[in-house]
Amino acid sequence: MLKKLFGFNAQTMNLRTEFVAGLTTFLTMSYILAVNPDILSAASMDKGAVFTATALSAAVGTLLIAFMAKLPFAQAPSMGINAFFAFTLVQGMGYSWEAALAAVFVEGILFILMTVFNIREKVVNSIPLNLRYAISVGIGMFIAFIGLKNAGIVVDNPATLVALGGFTPAALVAVAGILLSAAMMWLKVKGALFYSILICTLIGIPFGVTMLPEGFLVVSMPQSLSPTFLKFDFAAIMNLDMLLIILILVFMDLFNTLGTLVGAAAQAGMMDKDGRIPKMKEALMADAIATTAGAMFGTSTVTTYVESTAGIAEGGRSGVTSAVTGLFFLLALFFSPLFLIVPGAATTGTLVIVGVLIMGGVRDLDLKDMTEALPAFLTIIMMVLSYSIAEGIAMGLLSYTFIKVLTGQFRSVSLTLYILSLLFIIRYIVG
């Protein structure tokens, strides 16, 4: 029965090990239940509804992987893309969160079609490898910058644009979170980021950083989805800017999902001799359906989490692991008060550490060839300086195309990249 449902082999696998692996994965990535509502609330979305949407979309995506792909991977709203949603689409470009959700929904439908016709990997391969690494590095720096800004560690300055902020209670709690998160990660504490958020939330109570509402309870019925459920504004996305945004969402999710699946499968020893992952199409379809469902619930793009490797390291090898993780996300629906009191300062440590982990691709960058190094550098630095992941990607792709053409390396640029560059140019001329 378990073999048919989840690919569990009683001869080579152990149920207790699979359960512990699923719990480990949940604890390792449960920080998203506090961080995602905090980030999307910056887009004026209802924090309680986003919490429910986050838990539900994570449960749906992870359970789909358990049943469809029978792999020990977990899904949740993507760190990086949620920042893109709130700080670029809504705050930066002025779209409503309803329009941004519509874009995520369209992206999810596109993913389903792309998965059915086996073109997701082909699309990713059209983007130069060096730029893929650069996008990852840039997103890592951008996420960390958001965390430092939200805690008041980095503030605006008319003379220098940015400067170091004062030692406010919120900043001190945030600094404690950064150091705690790093120390526990080094000590290999399972659920380090979750525990760091919990400890900093408690530390923040006497300092007035964490605000406890009257009649505070740890357990309650799930928060209502009604403020965000099916709240789409499709009319607002019928323009060239949003077409490019949807394309960028597609690329970002493709990089995240495929990169994580390959890395996690390699760690678990699941790749065949040709580097293929079993049930890859089913895992990609689970991601596509979860993204579509997540947009309907009221959250940004759902993707496979690199934290899945924590459960794999504990011995998780089948869909039982992901089923356990998914069930814990459903259980978390009843603990929303605990997650919703978390102040932004308590999540700063997590954002900084996740930023450090995401930008690990910097070691793979080719910085010797200037036609590769300059576009990569512009991608990274423009994400932070323009406070926009989209602008960073645009600058990187445009500079790559121009410098390759100027140096006679026409064939190094794919047809897809030429088309994207043309679209970016039109956007800048029109905008």
Side-chain angles (χ1 to χ4, degrees):
M1 181 69 169
L2 286 178
K3 183 173 180 61
K4 186 176 181 181
L5 283 175
F6 304 115
F8 177 80
N9 187 335
Q11 294 181 331
T12 59
M13 300 174 187
N14 180 281
L15 264 181
R16 183 182 178 279
T17 300
E18 296 283 322
F19 178 85
V20 171
L23 175 58
T24 300
T25 296
F26 172 76
L27 285 175
T28 307
M29 62 185 287
S30 59
Y31 65 84
I32 194 64
L33 293 169
V35 175
N36 200 50
D38 188 54
I39 287 177
L40 295 192
S41 66
S44 300
M45 297 182 72
D46 183 86
K47 207 170 181 181
V50 173
F51 172 86
T52 301
T54 301
L56 279 178
S57 61
V60 167
T62 306
L63 289 171
L64 281 173
I65 280 194
F67 286 102
M68 292 172 61
K70 308 182 193 323
L71 294 169
F73 304 147
Q75 296 191 331
S78 168
M79 288 294 294
I81 301 182
N82 55 5
F84 175 74
F85 182 105
F87 299 106
T88 296
L89 274 183
V90 178
Q91 288 191 4
M93 300 181 71
Y95 285 99
S96 66
W97 59 263
E98 292 92 342
L101 279 181
V104 173
F105 181 78
V106 171
E107 174 214 350
I109 298 298
L110 282 175
F111 271 166
I112 291 173
L113 295 174
M114 290 168 70
T115 303
V116 169
F117 294 105
N118 296 315
I119 60 176
R120 287 180 76 167
E121 290 179 73
K122 291 177 183 177
V123 172
V124 170
N125 291 336
S126 70
I127 302 297
L129 183 61
N130 213 46
L131 280 185
R132 285 182 244 167
Y133 290 134
I135 290 169
S136 175
V137 173
I139 290 173
M141 293 185 69
F142 184 63
I143 289 174
F145 184 69
I146 288 169
L148 296 172
K149 172 184 171 290
N150 288 348
I153 295 174
V154 172
V155 296
D156 64 315
N157 184 296
T160 60
L161 292 182
V162 292
L164 190 65
F167 291 103
T168 63
L172 291 173
V173 169
V175 169
I178 295 169
L179 297 175
L180 263 175
S181 299
M184 286 194 287
M185 289 287 286
W186 186 84
L187 292 168
K188 298 189 180 345
V189 175
K190 293 181 176 60
L193 299 181
F194 170 77
Y195 291 128
S196 170
I197 290 173
L198 184 61
I199 292 168
C200 288
T201 299
L202 293 173
I203 292 172
I205 294 173
F207 289 100
V209 177
T210 303
M211 307 303 292
L212 294 177
E214 287 186 31
F216 173 72
L217 296 172
V218 172
V219 182
S220 75
M221 291 302 292
Q223 299 284 316
S224 173
L225 263 185
S226 59
T228 58
F229 186 64
L230 294 179
K231 294 293 196 298
F232 297 129
D233 181 3
F234 289 107
I237 68 172
M238 301 300 179
N239 56 66
L240 179 61
D241 256 3
M242 192 51 84
L243 171 63
L244 291 171
I245 290 301
I246 291 170
L247 285 173
I248 287 171
L249 282 169
V250 167
F251 282 122
M252 288 170 67
D253 195 14
L254 281 171
F255 300 146
N256 280 349
T257 302
L258 287 173
T260 301
L261 284 174
V262 169
Q267 180 181 334
M270 292 177 173
M271 284 186 174
D272 63 21
K273 56 183 177 59
D274 297 318
R276 290 188 296 254
I277 301 170
K279 301 279 187 180
M280 168 70 96
K281 185 173 182 178
E282 288 83 352
L284 292 174
M285 182 59 80
D287 168 86
I289 295 172
T291 290
T292 308
M296 294 168 68
F297 296 146
T299 187
S300 51
T301 303
V302 175
T303 189
T304 305
Y305 260 55
V306 72
E307 283 82 357
S308 302
T309 56
I312 290 170
E314 286 293 320
R317 291 296 181 272
S318 76
V320 173
T321 294
S322 43
V324 170
T325 304
L327 290 175
F328 270 108
F329 272 113
L330 287 177
L331 185 63
L333 286 168
F334 298 92
F335 293 88
S336 59
L338 182 64
F339 290 96
L340 291 174
I341 64 163
V342 174
T347 64
T348 296
T350 296
L351 292 172
V352 170
I353 298 303
V354 169
V356 171
L357 296 174
I358 291 177
M359 68 172 288
V362 70
R363 61 181 172 271
D364 298 311
L365 285 174
D366 177 5
L367 299 176
K368 295 177 181 176
D369 179 346
M370 186 54 68
T371 65
E372 296 283 340
L374 178 64
F377 175 75
L378 289 176
T379 299
I380 295 165
I381 197 167
M382 289 307 296
M383 279 191 193
V384 179
L385 296 184
S386 67
Y387 206 68
S388 168
I389 294 170
E391 299 297 354
I393 293 174
M395 289 297 103
L397 293 178
L398 276 173
S399 60
Y400 185 92
T401 301
F402 280 125
I403 199 166
K404 289 294 183 181
V405 169
L406 284 172
T407 54
Q409 302 177 65
F410 302 94
R411 294 182 181 178
S412 297
V413 183
S414 66
L415 177 60
T416 303
L417 198 48
Y418 278 120
I419 294 171
L420 279 175
S421 297
L422 180 61
L423 288 172
F424 282 128
I425 291 169
I426 294 171
R427 178 203 162 199
Y428 285 124
I429 292 173
V430 173

